[in-house]
Amino acid sequence: MVRTVPLLASAILSFSLAQAQSAPKCGASNPCPAETPCCSQYGQCGVGAYCLGGCDPLFSHSLDSCVPAPVCKSENYKLSSLDDVQGNDVYLGDASKANWVSEGMPVAYDNSVLLTMAPNTVGTLLSSTHYVWYGKISTTMTTSQGAGVVTAFIMMSDVKDEIDFEFIGTDVQTAQSNFYWQGALNYTNEKNLTAPNTQSDKHTYTFDWSPERIEWSVDGDVRRTLTKDSTYNSSDGSYHYPQTPARIELSLWPAGEAKNGLGTVQWAGGAIDWTSPYMQNGYYKAQIWEVDVECYDPPPNANSTGSKSYVYNDESAGFNNSIAITNDDGVLASFFATGEHMDVDPDKTKNQPSKTGSSGAVNTDAQTVPGVSGGGSRGDDSSANNGGGTAGGSNSGTGAGGSASGTGGQFIQGNDPGSGYDFSGASEGKKKNAAAGSGFAVLVAFVALVVLQ
């Protein structure tokens, strides 16, 4: 199997400190150890949220390390508030309680949700709690603008199958369409599509994804079609075609940060300017109004024994036949639990915490909440394995000895009732750690009281 992950990490905007950097790395021929069994989408090992959305079954300790993924749900999601959003330091896998998980700081504003990015942060990511295994997925949005600023609407599977719309802040007349198979880079996959004034005009962007073809549409007009047959690779006898259950990801991230590789910075239109006139109220923003999901039937040969969750049941994960639809539960008892030991909860156990991580005992040294990434595979070598920055410019994850928040220095941009902003959906961990990151984050808490123009 051809896997180049952690190539995904090449798009990760990491400002992690020593705590996050100490998390074990995972990748090809380097699976996670038993005590921290779950390989996050950022190429680091941990427990808790590491085992939820984005957990890579191939690079984890076992296929059972990752939690079963909630199946597709057809619905029109009106993102008019944060009521349907939980922080990744709160969400434990119960998709009946939230349809979206956030990393960074989303903001409710004027019947929409803003993805915000203040200076020296890594932006905001919204991920769906339900996966999609083929379907029609649309979002209505405007993008951010400026050099080094990238807005993205992508489908990302746990084994790095990916379908993209990406928007470079220096070209607001274009939507970049792209796809990847298992994270393997192919620079011929990208195609530019016309989308005028993406920063000011609302457009609806759509993936129509079936087992045989993918269509990219803008405002209902099909701009690109990819057939599965056209992706056949004679060297390995397989179709390099996205074909595994994927989450919807909406993000804003600073691809032009100097800590990213030169290729990423150049692709993003140059170095990011944290004093740009395109920033409003002290931050860059993208605006999301709704996401519409129409689920398609699974492939005819799908291994189905239930209707609740997707699981990988084959070490050759990455193909349709490696997925099973089951009734397996996907809710963790705590941020110390894993897919292998889902009931671990130090608040309820009578045993003393153990550092061994064996037999379901609590591992007090494990990272529990991974960092934030806005982008998909970018293929830039110098930033690979960065993994795990947080939107507050501080440490990602948590040592798990006390708090499961793990988001250290998340910024809060004010919650004045007269400002038009609503931060009520921010997790308690984020609220308690407000302005604990960069010095500018403190200033942002006051600047954001000005209403967006």
Side-chain angles (χ1 to χ4, degrees):
M1 176 178 298
V2 178
R3 290 294 302 278
T4 59
V5 177
L7 284 172
L8 170 68
S10 67
I12 289 175
L13 294 312
S14 174
F15 296 88
S16 54
L17 299 179
Q19 185 185 47
Q21 294 168 345
S22 67
K25 303 296 190 297
C26 45
S29 303
N30 184 34
C32 290
E35 59 269 20
T36 52
C38 300
C39 182
S40 79
Q41 70 183 94
Y42 311 127
Q44 292 180 311
C45 301
V47 299
Y50 281 72
C51 308
L52 296 170
C55 179
D56 191 319
L58 292 186
F59 300 158
S60 294
H61 177 251
S62 75
L63 291 179
D64 295 330
S65 299
C66 300
V67 171
V71 297
C72 189
K73 181 174 73 170
S74 294
E75 187 161 327
N76 179 256
Y77 301 97
K78 300 291 187 182
L79 294 176
S80 57
S81 73
L82 298 179
D83 293 345
D84 204 23
V85 180
Q86 285 189 353
N88 68 333
D89 56 349
V90 173
Y91 181 70
L92 285 169
D94 189 348
S96 69
K97 294 183 178 179
N99 286 307
W100 301 93
V101 173
S102 66
E103 302 177 41
M105 189 60 66
V107 178
Y109 174 75
D110 194 20
N111 291 315
S112 68
V113 168
L114 303 183
L115 309 179
T116 66
M117 184 166 67
N120 304 313
T121 71
V122 292
T124 298
L125 169 66
L126 280 184
S127 302
S128 63
T129 57
H130 288 269
Y131 282 61
V132 179
W133 196 17
Y134 302 116
K136 189 173 185 178
I137 308 97
S138 302
T139 187
T140 301
M141 61 185 290
T142 57
T143 71
S144 196
Q145 186 173 8
V149 178
V150 175
T151 310
F153 163 41
I154 70 178
M155 304 297 298
M156 176 70 77
S157 87
D158 294 345
V159 297
K160 311 306 181 287
D161 282 348
E162 185 176 341
I163 310 169
D164 298 353
F165 272 114
E166 291 179 295
F167 306 88
I168 308 304
T170 53
D171 182 4
V172 294
Q173 308 302 320
T174 299
Q176 292 186 358
S177 66
N178 212 338
F179 72 96
Y180 297 93
W181 174 76
Q182 297 188 26
L185 291 176
N186 184 335
Y187 291 105
T188 66
N189 290 351
E190 183 181 296
K191 305 292 182 185
N192 287 342
L193 310 177
T194 300
N197 306 317
T198 64
Q199 87 291 1
S200 59
D201 296 349
K202 281 199 294 187
H203 294 293
T204 298
Y205 304 93
T206 301
F207 304 119
D208 194 340
W209 176 35
S210 75
E212 301 304 325
R213 58 107 181 97
I214 302 169
E215 292 179 344
W216 287 257
S217 299
V218 180
D219 296 328
D221 180 21
V222 177
R223 303 290 180 83
R224 178 183 182 184
T225 300
L226 172 79
T227 65
K228 180 179 179 180
D229 287 344
S230 69
T231 68
Y232 183 75
N233 187 293
S234 58
S235 64
D236 60 16
S238 61
Y239 293 94
H240 289 196
Y241 180 81
Q243 56 194 278
T244 50
R247 294 186 299 164
I248 306 163
E249 296 189 349
L250 299 156
S251 60
L252 178 64
W253 59 287
E257 264 291 345
K259 293 184 180 182
N260 296 316
L262 179 61
T264 296
V265 174
Q266 291 175 338
W267 165 75
I272 194 167
D273 179 3
W274 291 119
T275 62
S276 169
Y278 296 121
M279 300 175 71
Q280 297 183 35
N281 303 315
Y283 54 86
Y284 291 100
K285 67 175 179 67
Q287 194 164 5
I288 315 294
W289 279 267
E290 65 180 298
V291 177
D292 189 77
V293 178
E294 178 186 351
C295 305
Y296 292 165
D297 291 336
N301 61 345
N303 177 10
S304 180
T305 60
S307 60
K308 290 175 53 177
S309 57
Y310 302 123
V311 299
Y312 288 87
N313 61 2
D314 193 317
E315 292 289 352
S316 65
F319 301 95
N320 281 331
N321 59 7
S322 65
I323 309 298
I325 305 174
T326 73
N327 284 326
D328 293 348
D329 184 41
V331 182
L332 297 175
S334 76
F335 279 101
F336 297 92
T338 71
E340 298 175 45
H341 304 290
M342 297 183 65
D343 296 330
V344 172
D345 185 347
D347 292 333
K348 295 181 179 179
T349 182
K350 296 180 181 180
N351 299 325
Q352 290 295 318
S354 165
K355 294 187 179 183
T356 65
S358 62
S359 303
V362 176
N363 180 359
T364 58
D365 286 338
Q367 301 287 308
T368 65
V369 181
V372 63
S373 168
S377 297
R378 196 64 260 148
D380 199 340
D381 56 351
S382 64
S383 58
N385 262 334
N386 282 344
T390 68
S394 186
N395 55 305
S396 77
T398 170
S403 169
S405 163
T407 48
Q410 296 290 354
F411 63 92
I412 283 188
Q413 295 166 310
N415 194 18
D416 181 76
S419 70
Y421 306 110
D422 177 11
F423 293 88
S424 60
S427 68
E428 288 304 312
K430 290 180 173 62
K431 291 175 182 176
K432 291 175 182 178
N433 291 299
S438 65
F440 187 87
V442 180
L443 176 61
V444 171
F446 299 97
V447 172
L449 298 180
V450 182
V451 177
L452 284 170
Q453 300 299 316

